[in-house]
Amino acid sequence: MNKIKYILIALIAIVATGCVQDKVFDELKTVPLKRCLEPRNLAARVDANTGVTTTFRWDVSTDAEEYLLEVLDAETNAVVLSKTLTGSEVPFVTDLEADGKYTFRVTAKSSSLDDSKVAVYDGDPFKTYAIKDNLFLTVTGKSAEAVSLAWSSEVADFQDVTHIEATPTAGGKALSFDISPADAPLAAKTISGLTASTEYDIVLFFKSASRGAVTVYTSPEQGTLTRVSTTEALIAAMTAGDDVYVGAEGSPYSVGSITAAKGFKMLGEYAADGSKPVVMGDIVLNEGFAGDLYFENIHFDGTGRNRIIDHKGGALAIDKISLVNCEISGYACGIYYDNVDGQLDLGEFLIEGCDIHDIAGSGGDGFDVRKNSSISKITFRNNTVWNSFRSFFRMDDSASGTNVTLGEMVFEGNTVKGVALNDKGIFYIRCPWTKLTIQRNLFLYQTGDKAVIATTFNTKPENAPGDITAKDNYC
């Protein structure tokens, strides 16, 4: 039995030796690169400080001589970067185009072996984004339909600007203006096709990154209004109640106290330096006055005067009084006063887009109504007011025989600093009123229990409005 076993083992050994000699089994001397050197652990990271600097990394093998990195647009699958790298160059850092969405793939290569299988990044597409320094956009000129802009050229990348957007602050479609290669080195551009007498938020962009912003009103359009450039001509027009376009070249205009025969419109022309024409004086409303008042782009300087508008007599009915994009400063008391027996019925008093400052508040309040007045609406919107007024909006209690009523108060989009701190606060409204909307305001240094609206609700809670909207206010 043992002899038979030894004979079988010998025969198997002979056959096996013959197979090797006849190369039935090939000797495997190398492992194909395609199977074992495919790059692993692909990763990409975008630098949060630049938004575009991207680091690519993967596991490196000593058997691969080089790697082909291909970066692809994740939306179109088009190759946007192709780079051959050695192992010592991994991780690889490069800047990609901002506001892109990308993926990538890597192939390992060797001069003596086949290329590896293409390794594809299996994470979600990564995004780049634009981050740029502020170039401090400024306005260098404006007309009724155009604004000229400039930005700093003191940084190396000041030409990295792509477009400008202008959006009406009151709402509406944004207008976009491309910055050409010819404009960029000049660090300046004029945008046109705007609407007259409109406030715009204008932003300078590099792709999605803001590089500066400014808010600006376009100039009012003269149209058929009579242009004046002397104090005498302006006094005559205001007294007659004629619509007038106030030329920049005659500023300042010291008009004194004007008793207007009827309502009128006054528009101001911007000077070359961007300043408004200065009108020094006040307007008196007396018996027989009729019509509306509209003021735009005027700097009312109240030196030696109490307030801009003073109702001194007569029963009057006025649809609207408007102060738009004006500067108001230097008055002793404020903007408006009514304390006479004659009933004044007013539809709306609008103050919008104005800079109001340095009004002492001596001897009266900012918007001061003492008796015999019915106002449907007061709108105070998108203004900046600082260092002004004893109390701001004062309307006395009808129960004491003053016959004062207010419908709606809208107070929105304003920046208020150090206003009406010495007496009864911003809202000293004790008459009956029905609605208050106070939203999107920034209150700075408004300290104390009477800084904003406490007086109204604490002293005459029965007259406080039942309809109140208050939101998005900051202090």
Side-chain angles (χ1 to χ4, degrees):
M1 183 66 182
N2 288 335
K3 291 182 179 180
I4 295 172
K5 181 171 71 173
Y6 293 144
I7 293 170
L8 289 173
I9 292 172
L11 288 172
I12 292 170
I14 293 170
V15 171
T17 303
C19 289
V20 170
Q21 290 175 349
D22 292 339
K23 295 187 178 180
V24 175
F25 297 105
D26 291 332
E27 181 181 2
L28 187 62
K29 296 182 178 180
T30 61
V31 178
L33 183 64
K34 188 181 294 290
R35 286 190 291 176
C36 69
L37 293 185
E38 177 187 344
R40 303 287 182 180
N41 298 320
L42 276 63
R45 182 175 183 179
V46 178
D47 188 338
N49 293 313
T50 67
V52 295
T53 303
T54 307
T55 301
F56 297 93
R57 66 177 68 246
W58 56 88
D59 293 344
V60 173
S61 170
T62 56
D63 294 320
E65 296 174 358
E66 59 187 21
Y67 299 90
L68 174 62
L69 166 67
E70 294 176 296
V71 182
L72 298 88
D73 184 313
E75 303 288 345
T76 65
N77 213 37
V79 175
V80 298
L81 173 68
S82 180
K83 183 76 173 180
T84 300
L85 305 165
T86 63
S88 63
E89 294 176 293
V90 180
F92 174 67
V93 180
T94 189
D95 288 348
L96 300 177
E97 190 75 12
D99 294 337
K101 185 184 289 187
Y102 303 97
T103 186
F104 73 102
R105 61 196 181 201
V106 179
T107 307
K109 292 178 174 289
S110 172
S111 59
S112 60
L113 300 167
D114 292 337
D115 291 351
S116 76
K117 179 183 177 182
V118 177
V120 178
Y121 174 65
D122 60 1
D124 292 333
F126 55 92
K127 297 178 181 179
T128 57
Y129 42 95
I131 298 176
K132 290 290 183 179
D133 292 331
N134 195 328
L135 293 179
F136 304 102
L137 189 66
T138 59
V139 176
T140 58
K142 48 192 167 183
S143 67
E145 60 86 33
V147 174
S148 295
L149 303 158
W151 54 91
S152 172
S153 59
E154 295 181 357
V155 296
D157 66 348
F158 76 92
Q159 296 187 48
D160 287 349
V161 287
T162 54
H163 64 289
I164 292 170
E165 287 186 3
T167 306
T169 59
K173 183 179 180 181
L175 303 176
S176 184
F177 306 87
D178 290 337
I179 298 175
S180 70
D183 292 326
L186 302 175
K189 184 175 178 64
T190 296
I191 59 175
S192 58
L194 306 179
T195 303
S197 300
T198 302
E199 186 179 35
Y200 288 91
D201 287 327
I202 300 178
V203 184
L204 174 68
F205 284 97
F206 171 71
K207 297 184 179 292
S208 64
S210 168
R211 302 212 67 182
V214 66
T215 299
V216 61
Y217 263 94
T218 50
S219 297
E221 196 166 30
Q222 179 178 344
T224 60
L225 273 64
T226 301
R227 181 189 179 91
V228 298
S229 57
T230 67
T231 296
E232 293 75 18
L234 181 56
I235 290 172
M238 293 175 69
T239 303
D242 294 336
D243 294 343
V244 63
Y245 189 81
V246 183
E249 67 272 23
S251 180
Y253 297 85
S254 183
V255 300
S257 187
I258 300 291
T259 299
K262 58 184 176 68
F264 62 93
K265 178 184 292 186
M266 180 193 293
L267 308 181
E269 177 188 42
Y270 280 111
D273 64 359
S275 62
K276 302 173 175 67
V278 176
V279 175
M280 304 173 68
D282 58 55
I283 299 164
V284 173
L285 306 181
N286 259 328
E287 181 110 28
F289 178 90
D292 298 342
L293 291 170
Y294 182 91
F295 306 101
E296 181 182 343
N297 204 47
I298 301 293
H299 179 180
F300 286 100
D301 183 337
T303 303
R305 301 285 166 180
N306 286 330
R307 55 191 61 84
I308 301 174
I309 301 169
D310 193 343
H311 178 210
K312 287 193 172 179
L316 306 179
I318 300 173
D319 183 53
K320 193 170 186 178
I321 297 174
S322 303
L323 292 159
V324 178
N325 189 32
C326 291
E327 183 174 352
I328 302 167
S329 66
Y331 288 90
C333 301
I335 297 169
Y336 177 72
Y337 188 62
D338 187 1
N339 188 22
V340 296
D341 291 335
Q343 174 75 19
L344 190 150
D345 295 323
L346 175 61
E348 182 180 10
F349 202 116
L350 170 68
I351 304 172
E352 182 168 22
C354 295
D355 289 333
I356 305 168
H357 60 95
D358 299 307
I359 295 176
S362 55
D365 301 296
F367 189 97
D368 196 342
V369 178
R370 305 292 180 95
K371 63 179 180 179
N372 298 323
S373 183
S374 175
I375 301 177
S376 298
K377 185 176 184 180
I378 297 172
T379 302
F380 191 77
R381 178 188 295 124
N382 295 341
N383 303 287
T384 301
V385 52
W386 68 97
N387 300 342
S388 293
F389 307 130
R390 185 177 67 179
S391 299
F392 192 175
F393 290 98
R394 170 179 176 171
M395 299 184 72
D396 281 352
D397 178 21
S398 294
S400 61
T402 59
N403 192 29
V404 176
T405 60
L406 170 64
E408 178 182 3
M409 164 71 77
V410 176
F411 194 94
E412 63 182 7
N414 305 293
T415 299
V416 179
K417 176 186 175 184
V419 169
L421 297 179
N422 296 328
D423 195 27
K424 302 297 194 299
I426 294 175
F427 297 113
Y428 184 34
I429 301 175
R430 297 179 294 170
C431 70
W433 51 321
T434 58
K435 184 176 182 179
L436 169 64
T437 300
I438 179 169
Q439 60 187 6
R440 295 185 289 102
N441 300 290
L442 175 62
F443 297 98
L444 301 172
Y445 304 104
Q446 293 297 118
T447 58
D449 60 350
K450 298 178 180 179
V452 183
I453 61 175
T455 299
T456 299
F457 296 94
N458 290 345
T459 62
K460 281 291 178 182
E462 67 272 20
N463 288 341
D467 186 352
I468 300 175
T469 299
K471 61 181 181 180
D472 301 329
N473 297 294
Y474 303 92
C475 57

